[in-house]
Amino acid sequence: MLPHGPDTDAFEHASNAELKPVKLSNTLAFMFETRFRQRVTKYAATLSERQDDYIDCWTGLTKHFDPNRRDPK
């Protein structure tokens, strides 16, 4: 499995921002879908440029979903 999703700061900002259109500038995003399992190659996993602390960007992310909650906010 490969990490994906917004980091803690991006999640908190988006969750608490005013709901209105926002133009994003100077950024690049791309997505792709596949039915095949994704894996990091041995070459990529052993590169010195690899960001070893990448997973830390999710450290402060907390669970907000409650499957038993019935009332909308």
Side-chain angles (χ1 to χ4, degrees):
M1 295 182 59
L2 300 174
H4 64 282
D7 60 31
T8 303
D9 292 339
F11 176 82
E12 291 300 331
H13 176 74
S15 296
N16 297 301
E18 180 183 353
L19 296 179
K20 65 178 186 175
V22 175
K23 180 180 179 181
L24 301 177
S25 306
N26 300 319
T27 186
L28 173 67
F30 62 92
M31 290 183 255
F32 60 92
E33 291 188 28
T34 179
R35 64 187 179 107
F36 300 107
R37 190 167 85 178
Q38 300 289 291
R39 288 182 275 188
V40 177
T41 64
K42 182 178 179 181
Y43 173 77
T46 58
L47 282 174
S48 62
E49 293 87 358
R50 191 181 80 170
Q51 185 180 349
D52 292 326
D53 63 348
Y54 179 66
I55 198 165
D56 294 344
C57 72
W58 291 294
T59 299
L61 198 57
T62 59
K63 181 179 176 180
H64 296 284
F65 177 70
D66 179 357
N68 299 311
R69 184 174 179 177
R70 299 283 183 213
D71 62 313
K73 274 191 170 180

